[in-house]
Amino acid sequence: MTRRKIQIKKIDNTTARQVTFSKRRRGLFKKARELSTLCDAEIAVIVFSSTGKLSDYASSSMQQVIGRRQNLHSKNLNKMVQPSLEAQIDNTCKTLSSNETLERTHGMRQMIGEVLQRLNVEELQKLEELLEVGLSRVLKTKVCLSMLSLFGGIIIER
Amino acid sequence: MTRRKIQIKKIDNTTARQVTFSKRRRGLFKKARELSTLCDAEIAVIVFSSTGKLSDYASSSMQQVIGRRQNLHSKNLNKMVQPSLEAQIDNTCKTLSSNETLERTHGMRQMIGEVLQRLNVEELQKLEELLEVGLSRVLKTKVCLSMLSLFGGIIIER
DNA sequence: CTGACTATTATTAGTTA
DNA sequence: TTAACTAATAATAGTCA
C-alpha cells in the first residue's frame, strides 16, 4: 500500500509480520477512536496477536462490554485504596437482592459492568475460586445457562 | 482528510454524520479484516451507531466472543432444522453435569460458545424468560456473581 | 528489537448526479 | 434519500539508522 502494493495474505517473515502488526493495530485503534468521536458511536475492538497477546480499544460506554476497567493499565493497579473483596461481594449481593425497582436483566448487566470496574484480575480469580468451591453441580448448570442467556442477550439484541 | 482536513469531533449535521459513519465503518471493518489476515490475529470489532444499531466484524475464532453465529445473517435463520429448545437445554444440562473430565471453567466457556452457536435470538429470549421465572433471588445473586467471574475471566486473562 | 523517514497506495470529505 | 466521483489527506511497506 505504499512503497509497493501488497496482497492481503499472511506475511511469512516473522519480523515483518510483527512490525506490520504493531503499525496496523495502532492504525485500527486510531480509526476506531475517530469513528467513535466523529459519529458518536460506541465501539469496542478486541485484538489477539498470533502469540495470544490481548489488546483492545473501547469507547467509554463499551468498557464493560470488553470487561475491563479504564485504569487496567495503571501501574498502581493493586495498590489502589478500595474495600476488601469480601466487602465488595457482600455489597453487591445486598444491592442485587434489595433493589426491587431495577428491571432484572438490566440491573444485572449494569451490575456486571459496575463490579467489573471495581475488581482487578486477581480479585476476579479469587472470586472464581470462591464460587468453584461453593457451587453444586446443579447450580453450576443453571449458572451456565443463565450466563448463556444473559451474555448472549447483551450482545445479540439487535 | 481529503477535500479538506477535518478535526476529530462530533459531526453536527445529522446527514453528514450518517454518511461518514457508513463510510468509516466499512473502512474500519476492512482494516480489521486485513490485519487479521496479514498477521494471523484474531479480531473482533463491535460498533453501535448513535441510534443504537449494532454491527460487527469478527475473525473466525472470535465469533463466539461477540456471541453470534456464523450464519446469523442468513435469511433462513428460523427455518433451520434443529432440535427443539427444550431438547437442547436438556442435552446441555446432561453434558455439563456428566462430563467429569472437563476442567470446570474451560468446560463452561466452551459450552457457552457451543450453545451460542446453536441457539438463535428468539430462543435465547425464550431461555431468558424461562430462567426469569425459575430462579430464586438468592440464586440470581449467585448467578450474577458467577457470570461476573467467568465473563471477566474470558476477556481479562492476559 | 525500535523508531524515523518517505514514496506510494488507500481512504475519504466534499461535491456532484 | 443514495451512489459515484475525485482532490486531498492519511496510512503504511520498505528502508535505513
Side-chain angles (χ1 to χ4, degrees):
Chain A
M1 315 189 169
T2 154
R3 291 308 182 81
R4 274 229 259 292
K5 177 168 179 168
I6 61 162
Q7 57 173 334
I8 304 300
K9 65 181 191 63
K10 180 173 171 179
I11 297 168
D12 291 323
N13 183 290
T14 306
T15 307
R17 189 167 65 240
Q18 284 174 344
V19 171
T20 295
F21 178 75
S22 296
K23 287 180 175 182
R24 279 178 170 262
R25 183 183 53 182
R26 189 162 58 197
L28 183 67
F29 288 161
K30 184 182 180 192
K31 290 286 187 188
R33 197 169 349 103
E34 290 181 349
L35 177 55
S36 172
T37 304
L38 287 169
C39 304
D40 201 26
E42 289 298 337
I43 302 182
V45 182
I46 302 169
V47 176
F48 282 96
S49 75
S50 54
T51 62
K53 260 190 58 176
L54 170 64
S55 56
D56 55 58
Y57 162 80
S59 60
S60 56
S61 307
M62 294 292 266
Q63 294 282 342
Q64 69 189 69
V65 172
I66 60 167
R68 87 186 256 246
R69 305 179 309 160
Q70 206 113 16
N71 53 1
L72 189 62
H73 287 144
S74 163
K75 298 288 184 188
N76 299 316
L77 183 63
N78 294 312
K79 295 178 185 162
M80 294 189 314
V81 180
Q82 55 183 359
S84 71
L85 175 60
E86 288 70 22
Q88 287 185 57
I89 293 176
D90 191 51
N91 188 53
T92 303
C93 290
K94 279 195 194 130
T95 307
L96 254 185
S97 46
S98 67
N99 193 339
E100 298 286 351
T101 61
L102 272 179
E103 189 270 311
R104 187 192 63 85
T105 302
H106 180 67
M108 271 193 169
R109 288 176 194 169
Q110 195 147 305
M111 193 60 56
I112 292 163
E114 284 175 9
V115 178
L116 271 175
Q117 282 166 1
R118 284 199 299 272
L119 299 183
N120 63 33
V121 179
E122 289 72 20
E123 286 168 340
L124 280 168
Q125 281 165 351
K126 272 197 279 178
L127 178 54
E128 190 162 351
E129 282 165 25
L130 196 149
L131 289 158
E132 177 92 4
V133 175
L135 293 172
S136 73
R137 185 185 299 156
V138 172
L139 181 53
K140 280 182 200 172
T141 304
K142 290 184 179 174
V143 165
C144 176
L145 289 171
S146 303
M147 284 179 57
L148 168 56
S149 162
L150 288 169
F151 181 37
I154 290 170
I155 305 297
I156 284 184
E157 57 190 1
R158 54 173 84 205
Chain B
M1 313 185 172
T2 154
R3 291 307 183 81
R4 274 228 258 292
K5 176 168 180 168
I6 59 160
Q7 57 173 334
I8 303 300
K9 65 181 190 63
K10 180 173 172 179
I11 297 169
D12 291 323
N13 183 289
T14 306
T15 307
R17 190 168 66 241
Q18 285 173 342
V19 172
T20 296
F21 178 74
S22 296
K23 288 180 174 182
R24 279 178 171 261
R25 183 184 54 183
R26 189 162 60 195
L28 183 66
F29 288 162
K30 185 182 180 190
K31 290 287 187 188
R33 198 169 348 103
E34 290 182 347
L35 177 54
S36 172
T37 305
L38 287 169
C39 303
D40 200 27
E42 289 299 336
I43 302 182
V45 182
I46 302 169
V47 176
F48 282 96
S49 74
S50 53
T51 63
K53 260 190 58 177
L54 170 64
S55 56
D56 56 57
Y57 161 79
S59 59
S60 55
S61 307
M62 294 292 266
Q63 294 283 342
Q64 71 188 66
V65 171
I66 61 166
R68 86 187 255 244
R69 305 179 309 160
Q70 207 111 17
N71 52 1
L72 190 60
H73 287 143
S74 163
K75 297 289 184 188
N76 299 316
L77 184 61
N78 294 312
K79 295 177 185 164
M80 294 190 314
V81 180
Q82 55 183 358
S84 72
L85 176 60
E86 288 71 21
Q88 287 185 57
I89 293 175
D90 192 52
N91 189 51
T92 303
C93 290
K94 280 197 191 126
T95 307
L96 255 185
S97 46
S98 68
N99 193 338
E100 299 286 352
T101 62
L102 271 180
E103 189 269 311
R104 186 192 64 85
T105 302
H106 179 67
M108 271 195 171
R109 287 176 193 169
Q110 196 148 303
M111 194 59 57
I112 292 162
E114 284 176 9
V115 177
L116 271 176
Q117 281 165 2
R118 283 198 299 273
L119 299 183
N120 64 33
V121 179
E122 289 72 20
E123 286 167 340
L124 280 169
Q125 280 165 350
K126 273 198 280 179
L127 179 54
E128 190 161 350
E129 282 164 25
L130 197 148
L131 289 157
E132 178 92 5
V133 176
L135 293 171
S136 73
R137 184 185 300 155
V138 172
L139 180 53
K140 280 182 200 171
T141 304
K142 289 184 179 173
V143 164
C144 176
L145 289 170
S146 303
M147 285 179 58
L148 167 58
S149 161
L150 287 168
F151 182 36
I154 289 170
I155 305 297
I156 285 184
E157 58 190 359
R158 55 174 88 205

